[in-house]
Amino acid sequence: MIDPDALARSLPAPMVFVDLETTGGNALEDRITEIGVVEVGPHGVEQWSTLLDPAEPIPPFIQKLTGITNEMVKGQPSFGTLAQGLAERLHGKLFVAHNARFDYGFLKNEFRRAGIAFQADVLCTVRLSRLLFPSAARHGLDALIARFGLMPQGRHRALADADLLWQFWQKLHTLYTPDLIGQAVQRVTKRSSQPPQLPDEAIDALPDTPGVYLFYGEGDILLYVGKSVDVRARVRSHFSSDHQVAKDLRISQEIRRVEVHRTVGELGALLRESQLVKQLQPVHNRMLRRAASLYSWQLTQDSDVPQLVSARTVDFASAEALYGTFSSRASAEAALRALADEHRLCCAQLGLEKAAKGRPCFGYQVKRCDGVCVGDTPLAAHTERTREALATLQLKTWPYDGPIAIEEHGMREDGDGKDSVIGHGGGTLDGNAHGDLDGHNVEYHVIDRWQYLGSVASREALDTFIDTMPAATGFDPDIYRLLGRRLAASQPAEPTGEPTDKAAGRAADANTVLAEPPKVGSARRPCAPLTVLQLTRPAFRLSHVEPPDDATLRKKPRGVALLRRRQPRPDDPNQLRLPLDSVGRVA
């Protein structure tokens, strides 16, 4: 048995177990009707509770659930009259609640209305239960009552529920040592160390939906771009008070504002993050930046030695027999040397070291080469083993005839609804914390030749975007890593008929692309299915040209002729020839 007073006095820091009853579930609009607090610390155990007048009607179903009626709260004190005393009671103590985000959010908003900036270190007993009892199926308060034999003094009343959390805390000390409980608490505690430069409500106002967030510093310098399926939670994690990550500490000291671009799902957030990092070059982002050079090993069928090729001279989206992507020659050679060591290949034959013909390489002398350099192994066998070693790095060519749109669905149904293009051109940032895609629960992500071109929020916007979308300018290794296994390893269905209108011509067939089933014994997670629309770029068109006046002809006598004879650019393989009817009209 645990002595509650002795346990309370032995705690390293005081705690408050808190529960609220409210008029609803929206912390920005609804109000608190009852507060219950169990305070434990060096003084022992104290309990405190009060009803509050919410200044608004309590919905009937909540009256039935809690037993708190409009008549009971009429004439009770408002939160504002008790705010100062309650803030002093809670100050400096670990704030413990079940589904703590709910209770803590309501209190922060009520304190804000009263003109008090309230912050506390927060421990959610739901998260603590999940960590300590991972095999349990449920972690709600009723489940804890049943599992641990807690003794409720009532249900859905603030002080009774707060007391149940204190009982749960006591029960934990009969099952685990104080040190283990302390470690678990440290892992799940959300420490409130919001940078003082940010407004108190800045993080609370962020959406808890997928999206990309941007941190700006003094002078509106972009510090960092990140993504998450829950933006608010991820941003908070940057500012944990223990500052275990040096980068987060620097960001916390430099940040002045946060900007959010919402997406309907994780894929859109990943694509948008990659694009923004490359475009804007944030100070604290190192990954995802565009490499100055990109290299790959190429071993064609008629060659015995892999050649290092550059993306400046070889199209990585269509070239065959490419292996790996590397940001420098040194990293490419290091990767090939590691494969040579693992597969007993000859570094001299691979061109990684100089050796006179017929003389053994260094690997042969230390028994790491099978001897192709001295004729002990046939060259053809060594080449075949080289291909097998490189196979794990092989790049897959772009598996479509042109650009595609990946359809991604989400669950968001809020907002006023407006079509918008994300990521087209320079990517204008509007600073709206509610994002670019309010009101939409679908996005179409346009990809061409392993490059992300942009996203739109409707089929109509997609059709417009196709007419103006930029051409793919180069292979993006980050997009390849993100989508390569989910697209290139899949076999889309063939289109079923000719398109009959503009939209159908642009999106010939919506195919659900399913990845290959995982091989037996494979540790890789199976790919999720993607819905892919195969697109066709619009034909190159000549616009009408007014006849030039005499002065123009004297200055540039060949200008019109050059314009009329201009051919599609050779670096854009998707550019189509002039339609016959267009040629006829110009002629």
Side-chain angles (χ1 to χ4, degrees), residues 77-98:
S78 67
F79 185 90
T81 61
L82 301 174
Q84 189 61 46
L86 180 59
E88 293 173 0
R89 181 183 293 273
L90 302 179
H91 178 70
K93 301 176 177 68
L94 180 62
F95 185 100
V96 186
H98 208 65

Side-chain angles (χ1 to χ4, degrees), residues 10 76 97 128 140 210 246 312 326 334 343 357 406 416 444 448 456 540:
S10 70
Q76 296 294 334
L128 183 62
R312 295 177 179 176
F326 309 96
H343 296 273
K357 187 175 181 180
I406 300 174
D416 55 6
Y444 297 91
D448 189 14
V456 294
F540 180 81

Side-chain angles (χ1 to χ4, degrees), residues 406-423:
I406 300 174
E407 183 177 284
E408 182 181 25
H409 289 270
M411 300 301 294
R412 189 169 74 251
E413 297 179 354
D414 59 327
D416 55 6
K418 62 178 180 179
D419 293 338
S420 66
V421 175
I422 304 176

Side-chain angles (χ1 to χ4, degrees), residues 53-123:
D53 185 350
E56 65 180 33
I58 304 174
F61 78 95
I62 291 183
Q63 294 188 51
K64 183 177 180 180
L65 176 68
T66 64
I68 300 174
T69 64
N70 290 317
E71 291 73 21
M72 291 171 61
V73 298
K74 187 177 181 181
Q76 296 294 334
S78 67
F79 185 90
T81 61
L82 301 174
Q84 189 61 46
L86 180 59
E88 293 173 0
R89 181 183 293 273
L90 302 179
H91 178 70
K93 301 176 177 68
L94 180 62
F95 185 100
V96 186
H98 208 65
N99 191 14
R101 178 176 167 183
F102 175 90
D103 302 272
Y104 185 65
F106 263 92
L107 280 176
K108 276 188 68 72
N109 278 285
E110 290 285 15
F111 277 121
R112 179 174 54 81
R113 296 183 190 104
I116 298 174
F118 172 70
Q119 287 191 340
D121 294 348
V122 180
L123 171 62

